[in-house]
Amino acid sequence: MNNALPDLVAHFRYRHSFFRREDVHARLYELDSFGCVMKTDKPFEPGDTVTLDLVMKMPLDDIRAEGISGLVTEKRKHCSNFFYSIDFIQPDSNENTPSSQKLRRIREVLYKKQTLRSRRAAGPTTWSRQTA
């Protein structure tokens, strides 16, 4: 969990008091079909629920999975921030809902981006060394 996921942000509304709310943008550090790990300075406790809008930044049009409910299962302190493990709450097992399709699309694009970055970080390939 040393690097944030590329171009992926979670948006949620944090309630300070009855009349005061704040829109928060948090970076994600892990994402799979069961949940995610989010880093923020807002205090949550295990057992709290949070509704996330996941946004994947793309060149032409962002991919948005809105209204994803999650249950905070773990809290780890890191400097002045916290890492929260969040398990997604699936109200039904139907994978054809628009939010689950968008979430699946975000995971696919994220996997491709991570694969491309790992290839670039690996250095020059043998083919480029042979042609040089």
Side-chain angles (χ1 to χ4, degrees):
M1 262 192 307
N2 41 1
N3 293 328
L5 297 176
D7 304 323
L8 185 60
V9 180
H11 299 260
F12 62 95
R13 292 186 63 107
Y14 182 75
R15 186 174 171 176
H16 288 281
S17 63
F18 189 68
F19 293 108
R20 191 169 155 228
R21 295 173 191 230
E22 176 184 2
D23 288 330
V24 180
H25 307 280
R27 296 302 311 238
L28 293 181
Y29 286 76
E30 290 180 18
L31 177 69
D32 60 18
S33 59
F34 303 108
C36 64
V37 174
M38 174 177 70
K39 182 179 180 183
T40 183
D41 62 345
K42 302 303 175 201
F44 293 107
E45 293 300 322
D48 290 349
T49 58
V50 63
T51 302
L52 301 173
D53 295 338
L54 300 182
V55 179
M56 171 69 78
K57 298 287 183 188
M58 299 296 286
L60 297 177
D61 193 21
D62 297 341
I63 303 171
R64 296 179 169 271
E66 298 176 340
I68 298 173
S69 296
L71 178 69
V72 177
T73 57
E74 186 181 349
K75 174 181 176 179
R76 286 172 279 165
K77 177 104 168 127
H78 181 263
C79 298
S80 63
N81 291 313
F82 296 96
F83 283 105
Y84 295 104
S85 295
I86 299 172
D87 289 346
F88 296 143
I89 301 170
Q90 301 294 337
D92 57 7
S93 60
N94 187 5
E95 288 293 322
N96 294 326
T97 61
S99 62
S100 64
Q101 289 176 351
K102 297 248 179 161
L103 187 59
R104 187 177 328 116
R105 178 71 179 138
I106 287 173
R107 285 194 312 267
E108 290 170 359
V109 171
L110 182 65
Y111 175 75
K112 289 177 184 176
K113 283 186 176 193
Q114 287 176 323
T115 303
L116 286 173
R117 286 185 185 211
S118 67
R119 285 185 198 165
R120 278 191 236 145
T125 62
T126 58
W127 181 80
S128 64
R129 280 190 231 138
Q130 290 174 354
T131 59

